[in-house]
């Protein structure tokens, strides 16, 4: 069986080596990059299963790289940073990060967080059992097994969190989910901020699907996916 591949983008060599050594010892295959540009190149050649990304890089901010990655790749992402302000944490998560670890960190915590993100991704099949036919919403098709969404046959690039959010709403179409419920179901851990990140992801999902009438706001409560899509 192929090893799970993790790309580490970290400009401090000692930290990058420590992470590569620790994750390698746990059975992961790792590559390291010391800049955003090098990280983007390795994304195409190494094709990682998860990105471990430092916030402060010499050529760009990790946040900018996070935005570039989530715009092009359906890839889980964990941010490492010395920034501990709650606003920074929320900002990173709103731009597509799946988790956020503050330096200095314990290597065991990093390994545990990485395993949690990967396990959550592997287990996220909320629409139905493996092998179920694609779910259709008018001109939108959702493939559970491939984690693929298309509109009129053209693929729509969703981040892992955007796909999980759509899949959660699809699981019980017509049900009203509160923002707190969606945080718990989609993010799966104590969120270090407020529920505005749900609003941000809903807005992006509506824009990408070009179907704001499918995902409706229930004022004062949360969101639902309409049952009738004709």
């Amino acid at each position: 069986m192929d090893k799970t591949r993790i790309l580490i983008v970290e400009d401090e060599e000692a930290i990058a080596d420590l992470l590569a050594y620790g994750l390698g010892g746990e059975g992961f295959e790792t590559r390291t990059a010391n800049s955003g540009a090098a990280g983007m190149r390795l994304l195409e050649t190494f094709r990682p299963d998860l990105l471990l990304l430092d916030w402060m890089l010499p050529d760009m901010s990790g946040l900018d790289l996070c935005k570039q990655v989530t715009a092009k790749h359906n890839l889980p992402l964990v941010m490492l940073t010395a920034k501990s302000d709650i606003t920074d944490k929320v900002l990173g998560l709103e731009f597509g990060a799946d988790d956020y670890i503050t330096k200095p960190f314990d290597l065991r915590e990093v390994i545990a967080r990485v395993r949690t993100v990967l396990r959550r991704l592997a287990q996220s099949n909320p629409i139905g059992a493996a092998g179920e036919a694609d779910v259709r919403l008018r001109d939108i098709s959702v493939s559970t097994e491939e984690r693929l969404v298309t509109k009129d046959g053209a693929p729509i690039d969703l981040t892992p969190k955007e796909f999980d959010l759509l899949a959660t709403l699809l699981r019980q179409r017509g049900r009203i989910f509160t923002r707190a419920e969606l945080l718990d179901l989609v993010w799966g851990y104590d969120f270090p901020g407020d529920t505005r990140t749900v609003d941000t992801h809903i807005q992006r999902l509506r824009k990408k699907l070009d179907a704001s009438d499918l995902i409706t706001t229930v004022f004062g409560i949360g969101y639902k996916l309409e049952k009738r899509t004709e």
Side-chain angles (χ1 to χ4, degrees):
M1 181 180 295
D2 292 338
K3 292 183 178 181
T4 299
R5 298 180 299 277
I6 298 178
L7 174 58
I8 302 163
V9 183
E10 165 64 65
D11 65 318
E12 294 188 46
E13 185 177 354
I15 295 178
D17 289 345
L18 174 65
L19 291 168
Y21 174 80
L23 291 164
E26 293 294 316
F28 296 104
E29 182 180 354
T30 64
R31 294 287 188 279
T32 61
N34 61 6
S35 69
M40 289 300 291
R41 289 194 297 269
L42 272 174
L43 275 174
E44 304 301 331
T45 58
F46 181 49
R47 302 184 67 83
D49 300 296
L50 180 140
L51 177 61
L52 199 55
L53 172 63
D54 182 32
W55 185 292
M56 304 296 291
L57 296 170
D59 57 341
M60 68 175 71
S61 77
L63 186 61
D64 288 337
L65 183 57
C66 176
K67 289 188 284 187
Q68 289 184 36
V69 170
T70 55
K72 296 178 60 179
H73 302 274
N74 187 10
L75 180 71
L77 189 153
V78 177
M79 295 199 76
L80 295 168
T81 178
K83 293 176 175 286
S84 59
D85 186 86
I86 191 66
T87 302
D88 293 321
K89 291 183 177 182
V90 172
L91 189 60
L93 292 164
E94 286 185 348
F95 275 98
D98 292 87
D99 204 348
Y100 192 111
I101 302 173
T102 303
K103 298 177 181 177
F105 52 78
D106 188 307
L107 183 58
R108 293 169 297 181
E109 179 189 7
V110 176
I111 294 169
R113 295 283 193 97
V114 165
R115 290 194 183 281
T116 297
V117 170
L118 289 170
R119 182 169 59 250
R120 189 184 308 130
L121 186 65
Q123 292 175 346
S124 62
N125 184 18
I127 300 174
E132 183 183 1
D134 291 356
V135 177
R136 294 197 61 84
L137 302 167
R138 293 199 304 240
D139 55 351
I140 299 168
S141 178
V142 182
S143 172
T144 306
E145 288 189 307
E146 297 181 86
R147 293 180 64 85
L148 175 67
V149 179
T150 60
K151 185 179 178 69
D152 289 325
I156 299 175
D157 292 325
L158 299 183
T159 67
K161 281 290 176 285
E162 288 167 351
F163 181 90
D164 292 342
L165 182 58
L166 176 60
T168 299
L169 294 169
L170 270 172
R171 180 177 56 186
Q172 298 185 59
R173 286 162 64 174
R175 177 193 163 181
I176 302 170
F177 289 89
T178 68
R179 291 169 175 82
E181 285 178 316
L182 290 172
L183 278 176
D184 183 57
L185 291 168
V186 176
W187 277 260
Y189 54 83
D190 292 335
F191 185 71
D194 56 36
T195 56
R196 287 176 298 176
T197 193
V198 174
D199 300 328
T200 300
H201 281 72
I202 288 287
Q203 290 169 12
R204 291 177 182 157
L205 196 54
R206 284 170 169 165
K207 184 176 180 180
K208 289 184 178 181
L209 297 177
D210 189 24
S212 58
D213 58 323
L214 289 180
I215 303 174
T216 57
T217 301
V218 182
F219 291 100
I221 303 178
Y223 299 98
K224 69 175 180 177
L225 185 70
E226 294 295 337
K227 284 186 175 181
R228 295 182 61 85
T229 60
E230 295 82 3

